[in-house]
Amino acid sequence: MITDIPMTRGLGSSSSAIVAGIELANQLGNLKLSNDEKLQFACTIEGHPDNVAPAILGNLVIGTNVNGRFSAVKANFPNFALVACIPSYELKTSESRNVLPRKLEFNIATHASSVSNTFVAALLTGDYKIMGQMIELDQFHEPFRQAMVPELKPIRKLGHRCGAIATYLSGAGPTVMTIIENKKVDNFISELKKISLSLEQIKIISIVHDGVTVM
């Protein structure tokens, strides 16, 4: 198996391997698995649908575990560019998880959930200003992980200056992702190169709408 997804960078390299393995078995064994069957297998292995579901289905996917069965809803993501700022260092998911609290105060948890709900509503109704604000108001993981990724704050600050929609920590990190209009990408990357950051790569990523495919 060959992949160009950097490992231990918060870009879903392990999830892509799981999805690829299932599809290889599907093709070689002529299993004729449906997308839902692939989803159930992948989520059982991964433990959650966060990365495997969009890899299988494509586009924007929101999912969860409902009584032992994984459900995923596919929706359209707006035509924005995603600029991935990939640091030169690795950050294992296990290490990134260790800094997360085991419990949250009730008021923090309810606020964090309302932020997530408002993000989804803003995204689906095309209110991208509110969407971006909600992305950057995450209370579940970024406040605890941002100390491990010093690039997050300066890139987010630059994103605001360059008119980006939002900047956030990709997965468990350390990759920092910025959602931005296509016409603003060149200027954003040009400005990125002017500030001192420990980046290995800057990649422009586009949304794949069809999910896993056999070429």
Side-chain angles (χ1 to χ4, degrees):
M1 189 179 293
I2 299 172
T3 179
D4 62 353
I5 302 174
M7 298 179 66
T8 59
R9 297 297 205 284
L11 289 168
S13 59
S14 60
S15 296
S16 67
I18 291 169
V19 172
I22 291 170
E23 190 57 48
L24 282 168
N26 184 44
Q27 295 297 319
L28 295 175
N30 194 28
L31 303 178
K32 299 179 181 178
L33 297 174
S34 67
N35 278 343
D36 183 65
E37 289 172 320
K38 295 174 190 175
L39 179 70
Q40 300 309 316
F41 281 123
C43 290
T44 299
I45 296 169
E46 180 75 344
H48 53 78
D50 294 1
N51 296 324
V52 292
I56 292 169
L57 302 175
N59 223 320
L60 167 75
V61 178
I62 301 169
T64 191
N65 183 339
V66 182
N67 298 323
R69 183 170 180 80
F70 296 93
S71 298
V73 178
K74 179 178 177 178
N76 287 324
F77 193 83
N79 185 29
F80 294 132
L82 294 160
V83 179
C85 298
I86 307 171
S88 57
Y89 57 91
E90 298 180 351
L91 180 57
K92 292 182 179 179
T93 302
S94 57
E95 294 177 3
S96 190
R97 281 179 180 161
N98 284 338
V99 302
L100 299 179
R102 295 293 176 262
K103 295 181 180 180
L104 288 175
E105 293 292 332
F106 181 78
N107 63 320
I108 296 175
T110 53
H111 174 64
S113 295
S114 70
V115 166
S116 299
N117 293 338
T118 305
F119 155 68
V120 174
L123 172 64
L124 297 180
T125 56
D127 191 333
Y128 302 129
K129 181 179 179 181
I130 294 296
M131 180 190 85
Q133 291 173 345
M134 295 302 106
I135 289 173
E136 296 188 354
L137 281 177
D138 169 77
Q139 297 294 303
F140 284 123
H141 82 119
E142 279 193 0
F144 313 104
R145 287 171 164 165
Q146 61 185 0
M148 304 174 74
V149 186
E151 293 80 11
L152 177 60
K153 285 187 176 180
I155 294 175
R156 177 170 284 167
K157 183 177 180 180
L158 178 63
H160 291 168
R161 201 162 72 236
C162 294
I165 303 297
T167 295
Y168 61 95
L169 194 60
S170 179
T175 294
V176 176
M177 196 76 72
T178 295
I179 305 174
I180 191 168
E181 292 178 73
N182 290 281
K183 64 183 180 181
K184 297 178 180 179
V185 169
D186 289 344
N187 179 58
F188 177 62
I189 292 178
S190 176
E191 293 300 312
L192 261 177
K193 293 177 178 178
K194 295 178 183 179
I195 57 179
S196 179
L197 296 170
S198 179
L199 298 180
E200 183 176 282
Q201 297 182 64
I202 299 173
K203 298 196 72 169
I204 303 172
I205 300 172
S206 58
I207 300 296
V208 175
H209 298 282
D210 298 327
V212 62
T213 56
V214 179
M215 306 299 289

